[in-house]
Amino acid sequence: QVELVESGGGLVQAGASLRLSCAASGDSWRKYAIAWFRQAPQKEREFVAHISWTGGSVDYANSVKGRFTISRDNPQNTVYLQMNSLKPEDTAVYYCAAAPNFGLPAIIAYAYWGQGTQVTVSS
């Protein structure tokens, strides 16, 4: 069992930065790949970034490459999403999720989800 709690969302202006945190608990969470997804109003949930359990492998959606950075601190039980140069189209609820394997970032592969944190970027 893995429990995930997101934090760090908020309202910012375009061009600003935010860092989201995903606090994890559970005996085996460190062996899980962790991903960030987001869901904007009236849109489907989409992949943002994911990181392997060692932190050695990462991947990003094309829409955030070069602006977002995912990292993990296993001793601190936390995964981060550093978001720079935010755009209004980044506005969404951001979710972290855990999967036993670092593979295709499909929603169905992720067994555990947090409740989400709202990010709003004004123009």
Side-chain angles (χ1 to χ4, degrees):
Q1 185 76 13
V2 177
E3 294 185 356
L4 304 169
V5 179
E6 304 92 338
S7 62
L11 171 63
V12 297
Q13 291 189 330
S17 297
L18 278 176
R19 189 177 76 162
L20 305 183
S21 298
C22 174
S25 61
D27 291 341
S28 59
W29 91 271
R30 293 183 182 86
K31 293 294 187 180
Y32 279 69
I34 303 293
W36 287 95
F37 288 81
R38 67 186 182 186
Q39 188 165 18
Q42 286 88 51
K43 291 190 176 181
E44 294 186 350
R45 193 169 297 190
E46 64 176 4
F47 166 75
V48 175
H50 65 160
I51 187 167
S52 62
W53 74 272
T54 63
S57 297
V58 298
D59 196 15
Y60 300 91
N62 287 335
S63 59
V64 306
K65 276 182 181 176
R67 300 189 297 123
F68 290 11
T69 303
I70 189 170
S71 61
R72 68 190 294 162
D73 185 341
N74 284 348
Q76 295 296 320
N77 296 337
T78 306
V79 174
Y80 301 100
L81 185 68
Q82 177 67 42
M83 306 186 297
N84 298 329
S85 303
L86 283 161
K87 304 175 182 180
E89 51 263 44
D90 294 319
T91 295
V93 177
Y94 284 71
Y95 300 89
C96 64
N101 298 300
F102 181 80
L104 290 175
I107 291 174
I108 195 172
Y110 289 83
Y112 302 103
W113 292 80
Q115 293 301 305
T117 185
Q118 176 71 47
V119 172
T120 303
V121 185
S122 63
S123 57

